[in-house]
Amino acid sequence: MNTADPNTRPQTGGLLSIVIPCHNEAEIIQATHRRLQQVLSSTGMNHEVIYVDDGSRDQTLRELEKIVASDPHVTVVELSRNFGQQAAMSVGLSEARGDATVILDADLQDPPEVIPQMLTRWRNGADVVYGQRRTREGETAFKLITASLFHRLFRKLVPYRMPVDTGDFKLLDRAVVEAICQLPEKRRYMRTLVAWSGFKQEPVLYDREARSAGATKYSPLKLL
């Protein structure tokens, strides 16, 4: 697919979208939003935050309603049941209107403070800026080993460049978002779709934090 034209990107101003899928994140979602607000106020961009509640069974939706009531930049999309993280991200991307869109987990393991670095790479011409993990604090040896093996095996199987030690934390240019939203796949794996789409892709290195609240939604069986 064609590379987006970096000359059309705003060096100041413009609209930044943040897409955050949520599933049973009531314990941490307010802290997530507070940290995100601090970061967004420093970007020099207008912004919108799209929370996608993926069929939470706790008080996540109620906490999101409180956030909406206090922040006019926030939209909440409520899914009718738990469809999974990949589907929730796809819904969020379809709602995003920004010149650039960042996908961010709700659990603060991927720090919002990395977003300004992503924006700098985007303004300098990158179409996709993905977070690449230097360290992964608070994760078990089993998770670290299986994640590393999976990424490296997958990279050998696919006929296009697939970055390793990455997750869903990334910035996408408007052209990339539109390309991804046009793809016909119903059961999506966003990491591979973004890599497959082409465009100019660059990493930003960061240290992944341990969960400060809540529990992982991926059991060893789900990871397998």
Side-chain angles (χ1 to χ4, degrees):
M1 294 187 179
N2 293 331
T3 301
D5 181 3
N7 295 321
T8 64
R9 292 172 192 168
Q11 297 302 305
T12 58
L15 178 64
L16 173 64
S17 299
I18 310 292
V19 171
I20 304 180
C22 307
H23 180 61
N24 295 342
E25 302 291 357
E27 294 180 61
I28 198 170
I29 198 63
Q30 293 285 349
T32 299
H33 192 68
R34 285 193 295 271
R35 271 179 65 177
L36 186 59
Q37 281 181 308
Q38 293 174 355
V39 171
L40 292 175
S41 65
S42 69
T43 63
M45 297 184 74
N46 298 318
H47 65 270
E48 61 176 6
V49 183
I50 303 165
Y51 290 99
V52 182
D53 181 47
D54 186 22
S56 296
R57 297 184 302 275
D58 64 357
Q59 297 299 307
T60 296
L61 187 58
R62 180 166 295 182
E63 293 301 319
L64 290 174
E65 289 170 348
K66 294 177 184 177
I67 292 172
V68 168
S70 63
D71 189 340
H73 299 100
V74 174
T75 299
V76 174
V77 180
E78 180 186 2
L79 302 188
S80 60
R81 64 169 175 84
N82 177 230
F83 287 91
Q85 183 184 23
Q86 303 299 314
M89 285 189 289
S90 294
V91 170
L93 289 180
S94 70
E95 295 291 321
R97 299 176 294 116
D99 301 294
T101 297
V102 172
I103 302 173
L104 178 70
D105 285 348
D107 58 17
L108 287 179
Q109 288 188 277
D110 297 329
E113 290 78 12
V114 178
I115 292 174
Q117 298 176 53
M118 291 179 164
L119 285 170
T120 297
R121 293 291 183 94
W122 170 69
R123 288 184 174 122
N124 288 337
D127 303 313
V128 176
V129 185
Y130 54 86
Q132 191 165 44
R133 301 154 180 166
R134 278 183 302 231
T135 60
R136 299 175 64 153
E137 183 181 345
E139 296 189 346
T140 65
F142 174 80
K143 175 66 179 295
L144 293 173
I145 292 170
T146 54
S148 178
L149 289 174
F150 170 78
H151 286 148
R152 283 156 178 79
L153 174 62
F154 209 98
R155 182 173 62 178
K156 291 182 179 298
L157 294 175
V158 298
Y160 47 86
R161 184 176 180 273
M162 183 76 188
V164 298
D165 300 324
T166 64
D168 297 307
F169 183 32
K170 52 178 59 72
L171 177 150
L172 309 177
D173 181 73
R174 180 76 226 160
V176 182
V177 172
E178 292 177 356
I180 296 298
C181 288
Q182 289 173 15
L183 295 176
E185 282 80 2
K186 300 301 181 184
R187 294 180 62 85
R188 295 184 157 204
Y189 187 48
M190 199 64 67
R191 298 177 201 179
T192 56
L193 294 181
V194 172
W196 171 87
S197 69
F199 296 94
K200 184 179 181 182
Q201 308 201 14
E202 296 181 1
V204 164
L205 297 177
Y206 75 104
D207 298 308
R208 196 166 199 241
E209 301 176 7
R211 261 185 174 268
S212 56
T216 179
K217 310 306 181 296
Y218 287 94
S219 66
L221 181 60
K222 282 188 175 181
L223 287 173
L224 180 62

